[in-house]
Amino acid sequence: FTQMMKRKIDSLAGKAVYNRRIATVEPLFGHLRNLGLERFTLRGRKKVDAQWKLYCMAHNLLKIHRYGVGFG
């Protein structure tokens, strides 16, 4: 599986998809870490889901506060 994924990522289409992922997904995790989410402090799927949504909501509210409603 590792070799198959390596070939897929090394292709031209794979590089384009991976570059887009770095620009869209990776910064979110960095921002959430700056907000203090390094580990979930709750147990259970529902509680972790609620904590994840709370951090995402805080991230989105900070974006609105910094850049305005029309951003994104």
Side-chain angles (χ1 to χ4, degrees), residues 2 5 16 20 27-28 31 40 54 64 69:
T2 303
M5 188 54 112
R20 206 169 54 229
L28 170 66
H31 295 162
F40 291 105
L54 180 65
I64 291 171
V69 177

Side-chain angles (χ1 to χ4, degrees), residues 34-53:
N34 288 337
L35 287 176
L37 179 66
E38 293 185 16
R39 293 180 182 211
F40 291 105
T41 57
L42 303 171
R43 294 181 63 158
R45 180 171 252 169
K46 286 184 179 182
K47 291 178 184 178
V48 168
D49 185 53
Q51 188 177 10
W52 173 253
K53 288 177 181 175

Side-chain angles (χ1 to χ4, degrees), residues 1-70:
F1 288 113
T2 303
Q3 292 300 323
M4 185 175 68
M5 188 54 112
K6 185 175 167 98
R7 282 193 304 272
K8 187 175 183 180
I9 290 175
D10 288 341
S11 70
L12 290 176
K15 287 180 182 180
V17 169
Y18 193 73
N19 285 335
R20 206 169 54 229
R21 172 191 157 85
I22 289 173
T24 58
V25 175
E26 300 294 337
L28 170 66
F29 294 113
H31 295 162
L32 290 177
R33 189 164 187 188
N34 288 337
L35 287 176
L37 179 66
E38 293 185 16
R39 293 180 182 211
F40 291 105
T41 57
L42 303 171
R43 294 181 63 158
R45 180 171 252 169
K46 286 184 179 182
K47 291 178 184 178
V48 168
D49 185 53
Q51 188 177 10
W52 173 253
K53 288 177 181 175
L54 180 65
Y55 273 102
C56 289
M57 186 171 40
H59 169 76
N60 288 331
L61 288 172
L62 278 171
K63 281 176 41 176
I64 291 171
H65 173 71
R66 289 182 186 141
Y67 305 112
V69 177

